[in-house]
Amino acid sequence: MSTVGLSAALLQIDQHLQSDQIITDPDLLASYAHDESEVEPCMPEAVVRVRSHDDVVQVMRAASKHAIFVTPRAAGTGRTGGAVPVRGGIVMAFEAMNQIDEVHRGDLVTVVQPGVVLKTLHDTVEAEGFFYGPDPNSLATCALGGNLAENAGGPRAFKYGVTRDWTLGLEVVTADGTSLSLGKRTVKGVTGYDLTALVVGSEGTLAIITRATLKLMPLPERVVTMLALLPDVHAAGRAVNALLGKGIVPRCLELMDGHTLALVRSEVAISIPDAAGAALLIELDGSEQVCEALLESAGNLVLAAGALDIAVARHSGEREKLWAARRELSRALRRTAKRKLAEDVVVPRSQIGALLETCARISAQYQIRMPTYGHAGDGNLHVNFLWDTPEEEPRVKAAIEALFRAVVALRGTLSGEHGIGVLKAPYLGLEQSVELITFQERLKSTFDPQGILNPGKMFPGHLHRAC
Ligand SMILES: Cc1cc2nc3c(=O)[nH]c(=O)nc-3n(C[C@H](O)[C@H](O)[C@H](O)COP(=O)(O)OP(=O)(O)OC[C@H]3O[C@@H](n4cnc5c(N)ncnc54)[C@H](O)[C@@H]3O)c2cc1C
């Protein structure tokens, strides 16, 4: 990418957009150099704050003509460096495309722009009696563009699925500035290839999303949250198996191990007995009657599995108190060490116990702190690696690779929701064959022949420059 090419592209963009949409001041560029991952910040050469689909088309026409890299960015809360412009070029920022265009009662759909913060969408549709399922714990700060590009999940994924399951259609712009309308507004529809499903989760490497049509459901009548304190993760595993064995499908089933529990001890609304070495946050929803019946059964099963204490929250304020500590967990962990990496691995549900044992073994072997928590119902655990000094880094690296190898051996997958981005790209080959990786690279070149869209992400061969 040449400086002359970049200047020419910015000049072309300037002819179509307002001048205040193009940022080149280094002080302002700095806040677009990083996300919430451990990926080293990389300064873009320019940021373009798009305000419409047409702006995106104009930027991509210019970028394509002059072969300039473009990295889309929604709210920058990504965990794997997806929005970090590792090869420089232009960051396309979506914060100004933040309108909810439609909430349609009859069709049970909402149409949103990519800069809408997820919590704003939740609040808006819930005020009208509707429900949108995906709820990443970053919901107060992340935006729909990033959720779609990462196929974000969250605690409610156990019952309600992930972002892809709620996406009916997308408006997108490809690398050369072509506009495509993908998918549909109806729940059923099998016309053509399902390119909506392909673009969701493609981490901004195939096309830029400018609008999404999302499914809604009626808001569940009642929600109750239960925090169960257990002696250890084995008892928690027994409780999870007991619940699933009885056909109880909580909308959330979150696990915290002893290390993480110790961290939230001062932040939860109930006192935690010293003997507690694990916790389950269980959330049930449905009609009033169904909810109370499920609560009673779940409580009995959890007690039978060895729970030491249970707290139940029925009202939204109380429930939020139980959730607040869980939602803050990731940032709270970060405060306990100079460096932190969170790996969001997934194993088949039956292998959760094996995964927890593997983590304990790797932690002991490499002498690295590895507090673990996550979405037990989905087999998706956040295994955190905490360290303070550069001398520890080789051990952290070896421990991460050992974890990934173990996960693949358990027939799991490297990422449940955070994506591959920069951080996991070197490990893709542990899970996928060379043929599969090559096939996906060919698919990418069909969408983006010059490789200008979010370069340096996902594929091991395209690792990033030193910046
Ligand atoms: C405290 C904390 C808790 C978290 N909890 C969860 C969780 O429970 N579940 C979960 O899934 N994730 C979680 N995350 C990770 C993160 O919030 C999600 O990945 C989120 O979906 C990213 O959204 P964003 O708007 O911040 O995207 P960004 O970080 O801005 O971008 C993410 C990716 O999307 C691409 N992108 C952005 N906009 C577009 C667009 N318009 N078109 C095409 N590509 C685009 C970017 O290029 C990048 O590759 C958490 C993060 C934090 C910090």
Side-chain angles (χ1 to χ4, degrees):
M1 198 185 68
S2 76
T3 316
V4 179
L6 181 77
S7 306
L10 291 179
L11 208 61
Q12 185 175 332
I13 293 167
D14 194 43
Q15 284 165 7
H16 298 278
L17 276 65
Q18 308 287 322
S19 296
D20 66 349
Q21 291 178 259
I22 302 170
I23 300 164
T24 49
D25 173 351
D27 289 343
L28 297 176
L29 294 182
S31 49
Y32 296 89
H34 57 84
D35 62 4
E36 292 217 31
S37 70
E38 284 289 322
V39 172
E40 195 125 320
C42 291
M43 290 283 267
E45 268 84 25
V47 169
V48 180
R49 285 183 176 148
V50 287
R51 293 184 185 146
S52 66
H53 176 92
D54 194 49
D55 284 358
V56 176
V57 170
Q58 297 302 344
V59 173
M60 291 320 301
R61 280 188 189 152
S64 156
K65 182 168 171 195
H66 300 283
I68 302 302
F69 298 132
V70 176
T71 302
R73 177 187 180 94
T77 68
R79 287 298 207 188
T80 51
V84 179
V86 292
R87 301 244 174 94
I90 294 173
V91 163
M92 185 183 286
F94 279 94
E95 59 252 22
M97 284 185 72
N98 60 0
Q99 296 304 304
I100 298 174
D101 291 336
E102 198 184 344
V103 177
H104 198 286
R105 189 162 283 279
D107 292 348
L108 277 176
V109 298
T110 181
V111 179
V112 297
Q113 294 183 354
V116 173
V117 169
L118 180 59
K119 184 157 189 324
T120 309
L121 178 66
H122 280 189
D123 291 348
T124 305
V125 301
E126 284 170 21
E128 299 206 26
F130 297 121
F131 176 74
Y132 174 70
D135 63 336
N137 282 305
S138 51
L139 65 88
T141 47
C142 67
L144 265 303
N147 292 178
L148 290 156
E150 299 289 356
N151 190 20
R156 298 199 298 229
F158 181 49
K159 182 167 179 183
Y160 290 112
V162 293
T163 303
R164 185 180 285 124
D165 301 313
W166 292 75
T167 309
L168 299 173
L170 296 174
E171 300 293 322
V172 302
V173 177
T174 58
D176 64 359
T178 304
S179 298
L180 297 175
S181 208
L182 311 179
K184 57 210 179 313
R185 190 183 164 95
T186 54
V187 174
K188 289 176 88 175
V190 292
T191 313
Y193 294 132
D194 191 350
L195 296 183
T196 309
L198 178 62
V199 170
V200 175
S202 64
E203 304 191 17
T205 62
L206 297 183
I208 296 186
I209 299 161
T210 59
R211 184 169 279 119
T213 303
L214 307 170
K215 210 161 65 170
L216 296 173
M217 279 177 58
L219 193 62
E221 185 184 317
R222 193 95 156 90
V223 184
V224 286
T225 307
M226 178 199 292
L227 179 71
L229 299 165
L230 297 117
D232 52 39
V233 288
H234 302 291
R238 282 200 302 277
V240 170
N241 287 340
L243 290 170
L244 302 184
K246 284 285 177 204
I248 296 178
V249 182
R251 72 176 192 175
C252 312
L253 186 45
E254 298 284 296
L255 170 81
M256 288 177 251
D257 75 357
H259 301 289
T260 43
L261 191 57
L263 209 73
V264 298
R265 197 170 275 273
S266 57
E267 297 184 39
V268 283
I270 59 161
S271 76
I272 299 179
D274 288 343
L280 284 175
L281 197 55
I282 302 165
E283 195 158 89
L284 302 151
D285 66 358
S287 69
E288 176 109 32
Q289 222 179 357
V290 165
C291 237
E292 286 303 320
L294 284 175
L295 183 64
E296 192 179 337
S297 311
N300 289 336
L301 289 168
V302 169
L303 285 170
L308 305 166
D309 201 1
I310 285 178
V312 173
R314 287 189 167 78
H315 303 294
S316 64
E318 293 172 346
R319 285 183 31 239
E320 202 35 55
K321 272 192 202 152
L322 292 185
W323 274 105
R326 166 64 185 91
R327 291 203 208 285
E328 221 359 72
L329 210 45
S330 170
R331 290 182 176 117
L333 273 176
R334 183 161 284 206
R335 292 193 285 271
T336 68
K338 291 214 174 94
R339 305 291 302 273
K340 166 178 171 280
L341 259 179
E343 300 298 355
D344 70 317
V345 293
V346 195
V347 291
R349 272 174 212 154
S350 61
Q351 301 298 332
I352 279 270
L355 177 59
L356 287 164
E357 278 163 25
T358 303
C359 291
R361 182 177 49 71
I362 294 174
S363 170
Q365 182 180 349
Y366 294 96
Q367 292 293 294
I368 297 292
R369 282 176 293 153
M370 288 170 55
T372 299
Y373 61 88
H375 317 301
D378 303 318
N380 180 195
L381 291 186
H382 297 290
V383 183
N384 294 274
F385 294 80
L386 303 178
W387 74 103
D388 294 305
T389 62
E391 293 73 52
E392 290 170 278
E393 263 165 40
R395 279 188 280 125
V396 172
K397 215 170 159 229
I400 290 174
E401 183 162 339
L403 173 71
F404 287 161
R405 287 189 184 280
V407 163
V408 172
L410 291 168
R411 298 207 280 177
T413 181
L414 301 187
S415 177
E417 48 189 29
H418 293 168
I420 298 300
V422 176
L423 287 181
K424 288 190 180 171
Y427 304 103
L428 193 64
L430 292 181
E431 180 178 331
Q432 299 194 337
S433 67
V434 174
E435 291 77 10
L436 181 54
I437 294 172
T438 310
F439 190 83
Q440 291 173 97
E441 286 174 322
R442 290 210 327 256
L443 201 55
K444 161 133 176 100
S445 1
T446 305
F447 279 83
D448 175 19
Q450 296 184 91
I452 57 171
L453 256 188
N454 211 0
K457 313 293 162 65
M458 272 184 136
F459 298 108
H462 301 191
L463 292 182
H464 76 97
R465 66 169 188 175
C467 52

